[in-house]
């Protein structure tokens, strides 16, 4: 069984750039052939908690989109009130070493893939988005969030230290000062509060509104050379990824385990 988790569970092979639609168990990917916009939908009830399998599918979906001529990709959720509840707590409780290793690698790989996509990305945050859920949205270039939900990196409230790339993603989006205040207190922002500090770029009435606003974001790049755009994105984000790759995740994970165990 142990080797099973190292095998990518989905294989999406498509010839055409457009008219693409794929629904694996945990992630649905569709490309609108008129707009060229891809929508990647997490669908792991009850709360889209990020386990190994969901992360692998997400990573695969965003990687595969890199080989298609898309205008941009939207990350959203099929659930009514949750974008993602963050990391699946069950992955962190008394894990088998191989599973823990695969899980943390898949988390970091997924973050790097989404953070680094050659195409523009928007998170249409249609529900609560704590911790790892917030991280996913921070990896995107733009965030539109439906009103009356919460978002933030609340790790310290859980007795966890947010890893480097969580912190770096926050600092890449809001000010150093606001990041410090938010992370040290484990603050979860309401949608309107998140908008005020720039953690989200736009607010929305509902999911449809969020998706419409996300789509509009991509038109900013209509007159921009995509290669110049991507190289500029790499210039801005590359250093963070480089340092992130060096993070000693296993050492951090042990710390986390100890921390969790002491709370039980
Ligand atoms: C130093 C070490 C380095 C480690 C770094 C780690 C960085 C950590 C990142 C993380 O992401 S840790 C996870 C943090 N997540 C949270 O704090 C969210 C916790 N959940 C909630 O606040 C709420 O569940 C919600 C998302 C707001 C949804 O609330 P709602 O009232 O709609 O549903 P619930 O009844 O609370 O939950 C339904 C169901 O889902 C289970 N669940 C919730 N969150 C998780 C999760 N993160 N992982 C696994 N399962 C989760 C919850 O237990 C319920 O299950 P049942 O009771 O129905 O079986």
């Amino acid at each position: 069984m142990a080797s099973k988790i190292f095998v990518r569970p989905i294989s999406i092979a498509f010839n055409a750039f457009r008219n693409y639609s794929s629904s694996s168990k945990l992630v649905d990917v569709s490309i609108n052939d008129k707009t060229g916009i891809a929508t990647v939908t997490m669908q792991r009830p009850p709360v889209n908690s990020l386990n190994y399998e969901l992360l692998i599918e997400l990573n695969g979906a965003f990687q595969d989109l890199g080989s298609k001529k898309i205008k941009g990709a939207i990350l959203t959720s099929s659930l009514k009130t949750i974008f993602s509840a963050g990391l699946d707590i069950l992955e962190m409780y008394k894990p088998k070493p191989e599973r823990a290793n695969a899980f943390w690698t898949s988390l970091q790989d997924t973050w790097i893939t989404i953070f680094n996509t050659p195409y523009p990305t928007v998170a249409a945050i249609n529900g609560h988005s704590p911790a790892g859920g917030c991280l996913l949205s921070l990896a995107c270039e733009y965030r539109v969030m439906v009103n009356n939900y919460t978002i933030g990196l609340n790790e310290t409230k859980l007795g966890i230290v947010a890893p480097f790339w969580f912190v770096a993603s926050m600092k890449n989006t809001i000010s150093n000062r606001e990041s410090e205040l938010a992370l040290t207190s484990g603050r979860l922002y309401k949608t309107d509060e998140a908008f005020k500090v720039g953690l989200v770029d736009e607010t929305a009435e509902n999911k449809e509104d969020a998706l419409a606003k996300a789509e509009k974001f991509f038109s900013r790049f209509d007159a921009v050379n995509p290669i110049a755009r991507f190289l500029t994105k790499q210039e801005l984000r590359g250093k963070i990824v480089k340092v992130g790759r060096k993070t000693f995740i296993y050492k951090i994970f042990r710390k986390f385990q100890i921390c969790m165990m002491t709370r039980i």
Side-chain angles (χ1 to χ4, degrees), residues 46-47 49 82 85-89 92 104 128 130-132 154-155 158 160-161 163 166 252 256:
V47 291
S49 63
I82 317 284
L87 305 191
D88 190 326
I89 299 293
M92 297 183 268
W104 286 100
H128 297 297
N154 57 326
E155 281 77 5
L158 307 171
I160 306 172
V161 181
F166 282 59
I252 291 170
F256 169 70

Side-chain angles (χ1 to χ4, degrees), residues 136-154:
L136 281 185
S137 75
L138 289 170
C140 297
E141 292 171 31
Y142 199 76
R143 281 151 293 285
V144 184
M145 184 167 173
V146 174
N147 287 316
N148 300 318
Y149 292 116
T150 56
I151 185 167
L153 295 179
N154 57 326

Side-chain angles (χ1 to χ4, degrees), residues 44-51 81-92 103-104 107 127-135 150 152-155 157-163 165-166 188 249 251-257 259-260:
R44 184 172 182 250
V47 291
N48 281 336
S49 63
L50 303 168
N51 70 346
T81 60
I82 317 284
F83 179 71
S84 165
L87 305 191
D88 190 326
I89 299 293
L90 296 177
E91 292 282 11
M92 297 183 268
F103 174 67
W104 286 100
L107 175 62
H128 297 297
S129 190
C134 177
L135 176 78
T150 56
L153 295 179
N154 57 326
E155 281 77 5
K157 280 239 172 78
L158 307 171
I160 306 172
V161 181
W165 21 297
F166 282 59
L188 284 174
I249 50 177
K251 201 169 157 189
I252 291 170
F253 177 65
R254 276 202 300 277
K255 259 195 211 168
F256 169 70
Q257 250 191 312
C259 205
M260 288 293 280

Side-chain angles (χ1 to χ4, degrees), residues 182-250:
L183 280 150
T184 52
S185 64
R187 177 168 179 189
L188 284 174
Y189 297 81
K190 279 266 172 73
T191 305
D192 55 340
E193 297 170 335
F195 175 67
K196 271 187 202 142
V197 298
L199 183 54
V200 301
D201 300 289
E202 286 187 68
T203 61
E205 291 301 316
N206 50 42
K207 184 174 178 181
E208 291 63 41
D209 187 28
L211 291 173
K213 285 173 171 163
E215 289 201 10
K216 203 167 168 213
F217 169 74
F218 299 123
S219 58
R220 293 183 188 205
F221 307 113
D222 284 352
V224 175
N225 177 301
I227 296 169
R229 204 201 85 85
F230 179 42
L231 292 177
T232 304
K233 177 173 171 176
Q234 281 192 317
E235 187 64 30
L236 288 159
R237 295 187 168 207
K239 278 190 199 118
I240 299 174
V241 172
K242 212 170 163 189
V243 183
R245 283 189 202 276
K246 288 183 188 155
T247 308
F248 295 106
I249 50 177
Y250 309 122

Side-chain angles (χ1 to χ4, degrees), residues 21-176:
S21 179
S22 152
S23 185
S24 58
K25 203 167 64 125
L26 305 173
V27 173
D28 179 81
V29 182
S30 65
I31 301 178
N32 182 315
D33 58 356
K34 289 200 184 101
T35 63
I37 293 171
T39 306
V40 178
T41 306
M42 294 177 280
Q43 44 187 31
R44 184 172 182 250
V47 291
N48 281 336
S49 63
L50 303 168
N51 70 346
Y52 172 79
E53 287 76 13
L54 176 53
L55 287 167
I56 290 291
E57 288 197 22
L58 270 178
N59 192 15
F62 278 92
Q63 276 184 356
D64 288 340
L65 288 174
S67 66
K68 316 221 172 295
K69 257 196 176 162
I70 58 165
K71 191 169 176 181
I74 299 171
L75 175 62
T76 191
S77 155
S78 67
L79 308 177
K80 277 199 173 141
T81 60
I82 317 284
F83 179 71
S84 165
L87 305 191
D88 190 326
I89 299 293
L90 296 177
E91 292 282 11
M92 297 183 268
Y93 180 66
K94 293 184 181 167
K96 292 211 168 78
E98 313 83 61
R99 176 84 186 186
N101 188 342
F103 174 67
W104 286 100
T105 305
S106 69
L107 175 62
Q108 190 162 18
D109 287 350
T110 304
W111 170 72
I112 289 172
T113 297
I114 301 177
F115 198 69
N116 251 338
T117 56
Y119 49 84
T121 50
V122 180
I125 308 165
N126 56 317
H128 297 297
S129 190
C134 177
L135 176 78
L136 281 185
S137 75
L138 289 170
C140 297
E141 292 171 31
Y142 199 76
R143 281 151 293 285
V144 184
M145 184 167 173
V146 174
N147 287 316
N148 300 318
Y149 292 116
T150 56
I151 185 167
L153 295 179
N154 57 326
E155 281 77 5
T156 49
K157 280 239 172 78
L158 307 171
I160 306 172
V161 181
F164 162 82
W165 21 297
F166 282 59
V167 178
S169 301
M170 190 70 136
K171 280 166 59 176
N172 188 50
T173 307
I174 60 174
S175 73
N176 196 68

